[in-house]
Amino acid sequence: MSENPGKAQPSVVDRANFERQLAELRAREKAHTREGDAIAAARRRLPMVEVAADSPLLGPDGPTTLLDAFEGRRQLIAYYFMWWPSRPAAEQCEGCTWVMSHVGELAYLHSRDITFAVFCQGRNTAYGFADARTSYEESLRYRAFMGWTMPWYSAQPSLESLLTGRQPGLFHLVCYLRDGDRVFETYWTERRGAEAVDYSYALMDLTVFGRQETWEDSPAGWPRLGHATRTLGGAPDWPPLREERPIGRPTAQWPRIDAGRSDDLGTPGTGSTTESGHCH
């Protein structure tokens, strides 16, 4: 029985019982880790496909190329950031904001000859392209508002070819290998595959209530707060979002607003819209 029957929570047992059940779960966790290692080994044995090294990008200093984005390193991981042109910061993609908010120290990647960069797409699944330079400058102001420092480009000039066979406007995580002046794509993933960049959800998964999202398999009575990536307000209450339209803000924006940072992207758009700019 719970010591607090008025609130849903696990049953209370003695230490021996707790450790026994934890050991049973730990065996499954270890099997999961070993399977993850085996999948990673298979990923390292995938073939690769050549892509145009001179694919044009926009960078902070003007036109550049995919090859230049390697910054001289042998490997490149590119996150393809959704973008809603001419819309305010509050309406931008909460999923992409969630992913990028977990990218900080890049030295560990650099020590393995890997560059990490954002390729802003200049569009999302609900809204097509606007002027490439204008959208890129808006996204740079968003990057500054969020306090991010990773390399940031616009892939809009070559998005269709870089994402051949995939849906532009949905976030993607793509890995590349450079062989001299030639570039090859070695792996890509999308949607929940981007959780490779995240640690917040990974830590939530260790807690008793998990992510507290509606799709999870949790006991009856466990908290269900909707997506953690967009909320109606910030600290201390973090009111959850329960409606599927672009209200509230991407969660990581609230501390920036509280700190007095300007979220002015120089866009004409104000207010909400009936179209969905969400990425999930």
Side-chain angles (χ1 to χ4, degrees):
M1 293 290 293
S2 167
E3 291 182 343
N4 187 353
K7 293 184 179 180
Q9 60 187 37
S11 60
V12 177
V13 298
D14 58 32
R15 170 61 65 172
N17 195 344
F18 170 72
E19 294 295 344
R20 178 183 59 78
Q21 294 189 51
L22 180 59
E24 293 173 357
L25 179 64
R26 186 82 73 228
R28 296 177 61 188
E29 289 180 334
K30 290 181 177 180
H32 178 72
T33 298
R34 288 190 290 270
E35 178 62 14
D37 291 342
I39 291 172
R43 189 181 296 117
R44 292 191 293 271
R45 288 165 172 79
L46 285 172
M48 59 187 184
V49 60
E50 188 164 9
V51 296
D54 61 354
S55 297
L57 307 175
L58 290 177
D61 298 321
T64 187
T65 68
L66 176 62
L67 183 62
D68 293 331
F70 279 76
E71 298 182 342
R73 299 184 182 91
R74 192 177 182 197
Q75 297 183 83
L76 169 67
I77 301 173
Y79 178 81
Y80 283 76
F81 196 104
M82 291 173 57
W83 190 252
W84 199 333
S86 301
R87 301 308 302 175
E91 294 183 16
Q92 295 302 330
C93 177
E94 67 271 18
C96 290
T97 302
W98 151 67
V99 174
M100 286 304 97
S101 295
H102 292 88
V103 178
E105 181 57 68
L106 298 178
Y108 297 102
L109 293 175
H110 294 171
S111 74
R112 292 298 183 264
D113 212 15
I114 301 168
T115 293
F116 181 93
V118 169
F119 286 8
C120 197
Q121 299 184 59
R123 63 160 297 173
N124 68 11
T125 54
Y127 195 102
F129 293 119
D131 177 73
R133 172 55 64 177
T134 300
S135 292
Y136 179 51
E137 290 175 352
E138 291 170 0
S139 74
L140 283 174
R141 286 190 282 271
Y142 189 69
R143 173 179 177 259
F145 161 57
M146 295 302 298
W148 298 331
T149 59
M150 73 287 288
W152 193 278
Y153 303 93
S154 170
Q156 184 172 333
S158 54
L159 190 64
E160 299 292 343
S161 60
L162 286 174
L163 292 181
T164 297
R166 287 153 284 191
Q167 181 182 10
L170 183 70
F171 58 73
H172 303 275
L173 196 61
V174 185
C175 296
Y176 300 97
L177 176 69
R178 180 177 65 85
D179 184 6
D181 291 336
R182 300 174 70 188
V183 173
F184 301 87
E185 184 177 327
T186 62
Y187 176 76
W188 71 274
T189 187
E190 63 182 5
R191 298 185 184 272
R192 287 191 64 187
E195 289 184 14
V197 186
D198 161 67
Y199 61 82
S200 290
Y201 274 165
L203 290 174
M204 291 179 198
D205 285 342
L206 300 180
T207 69
V208 66
F209 294 137
R211 304 182 186 193
Q212 302 176 51
E213 296 188 352
T214 56
W215 61 269
E216 288 180 287
D217 180 6
S218 296
W222 256 228
R224 305 283 188 173
L225 299 180
H227 291 298
T229 53
R230 179 176 284 264
T231 58
L232 291 175
D237 299 325
W238 299 101
L241 180 74
R242 300 187 185 278
E243 299 180 51
E244 289 298 326
R245 59 187 183 89
I247 57 177
R249 285 182 177 272
T251 304
Q253 288 187 12
W254 293 106
R256 277 75 173 178
I257 294 294
D258 290 343
R261 294 187 188 177
S262 172
D263 68 346
D264 183 3
L265 307 184
T267 63
T270 57
S272 296
T273 176
T274 56
E275 293 181 276
S276 175
H278 292 201
C279 51
H280 47 73

